[in-house]
Amino acid sequence: MSVPHMALSENQLRAIARQARAFWDAQVSNKGFLEITRGKEIGHRIADYVDDHTTALLKVKFDTRYEADGKGESRKRSMGDVWLHGGGVLNPVNVKAGLQDMNGQPNLVSMQKLLDYILHRWIDSYYLLIVKFSLGDPVQHKIALVDMLDWLDFIVYDAGPGQIMLRERDFFLAWDSGNKPRVRTMVEKVELLFGRFEAGVDSLICNRKERLRRQRKLFEDFGDRKFEVDQSGLVFVP
């Protein structure tokens, strides 16, 4: 069934953000949450905890579904952590969490999978519900809920792992300043995504060819002299 691009309404977006904000206002003082903010690999533990609890919140408060595989079971590598009904369709929502002072380039979604779902006309949006924490006393947080397809100027693509990544620092500078993303038609969004995909794959092919050329040269030179271990090219420390 073909439907116009409607996605989630502004009222729905505000309601989701409001529920998420209220939930994490309460959770940041919860003993269970505070425990995971101590020790090593805090970012990974926060991400898992926030993903599970935020997805559960959305399931309770809103009309949601999980994407199923051919056996009718929840798909483990779905486009969204949960799919939220709005605009006559189900929209993928991906929950992302981390620390506010860790402004890197987190993975968001497979470029090929995203293009497949759009080109098959299965989706016209890809929502990110981002929860960022500041581990002070008290712990603080902020919520950003956006359709990634509206913020394509803030993504990068690495064809090696095949992942779209978010330029967090630039994104939050724009988000916190209240800047509005450039308005694009669905065709323009797909053209931009496919252009990034094509350029990334072309660059990857060139890099792999150069890597093959270098390895072939080493391989061809390998048999020209007797094999002896030579560590003069290595550096060691106590």
Side-chain angles (χ1 to χ4, degrees), residues 9-187:
S9 69
E10 287 299 321
N11 285 339
Q12 283 180 297
L13 294 174
R14 283 193 292 269
I16 295 166
R18 184 171 60 250
Q19 290 282 357
R21 193 171 293 111
F23 179 80
W24 287 108
D25 279 343
Q27 284 291 311
V28 292
S29 59
N30 179 283
K31 183 178 179 181
F33 177 78
L34 292 176
E35 282 296 320
I36 69 170
T37 65
R38 305 183 179 99
K40 299 179 179 179
E41 298 184 349
I42 295 172
H44 290 295
R45 283 185 282 129
I46 285 179
D48 292 340
Y49 186 94
V50 173
D51 189 332
D52 291 344
H53 284 71
T54 305
T55 300
L57 172 72
L58 295 177
K59 288 291 294 180
V60 170
K61 297 293 185 179
F62 300 95
D63 182 6
T64 61
R65 301 288 188 278
Y66 290 124
E67 185 183 8
D69 59 21
K71 298 179 181 179
E73 299 176 353
S74 295
R75 189 180 296 276
K76 292 182 179 180
R77 294 188 176 274
S78 172
M79 280 290 296
D81 292 315
V82 68
W83 292 62
L84 206 152
H85 190 271
V89 297
L90 288 162
N91 304 272
V93 180
N94 192 353
V95 178
K96 291 292 181 182
L99 304 178
Q100 290 188 32
D101 58 353
M102 300 291 286
N103 291 312
Q105 292 187 165
N107 291 342
L108 299 179
V109 63
S110 160
M111 172 70 89
Q112 184 168 330
K113 181 181 287 188
L114 179 65
L115 280 171
D116 282 347
Y117 274 59
I118 296 174
L119 295 175
H120 280 95
R121 294 175 168 79
W122 292 335
I123 61 172
D124 60 3
S125 61
Y126 186 72
Y127 285 95
L128 300 174
L129 177 50
I130 306 172
V131 190
K132 298 286 281 184
F133 295 90
S134 178
L135 302 183
D137 187 14
V139 175
Q140 297 181 330
H141 71 91
K142 62 181 177 182
I143 303 285
L145 175 60
V146 297
D147 181 354
M148 190 195 76
L149 301 185
D150 290 334
W151 294 82
L152 295 179
D153 294 320
F154 296 90
I155 66 167
V156 293
Y157 171 58
D158 185 340
Q163 286 286 316
I164 293 174
M165 298 173 289
L166 179 68
R167 298 193 340 254
E168 273 193 325
R169 183 176 182 277
D170 295 337
F171 168 77
F172 276 107
L173 282 173
W175 173 263
D176 291 338
S177 300
N179 293 346
K180 299 297 183 182
R182 176 182 170 183
V183 177
R184 294 183 172 97
T185 66
M186 202 64 204
V187 171

Side-chain angles (χ1 to χ4, degrees), residues 229-238:
V229 174
D230 178 3
Q231 296 185 336
S232 60
L234 303 178
V235 178
F236 298 96
V237 296

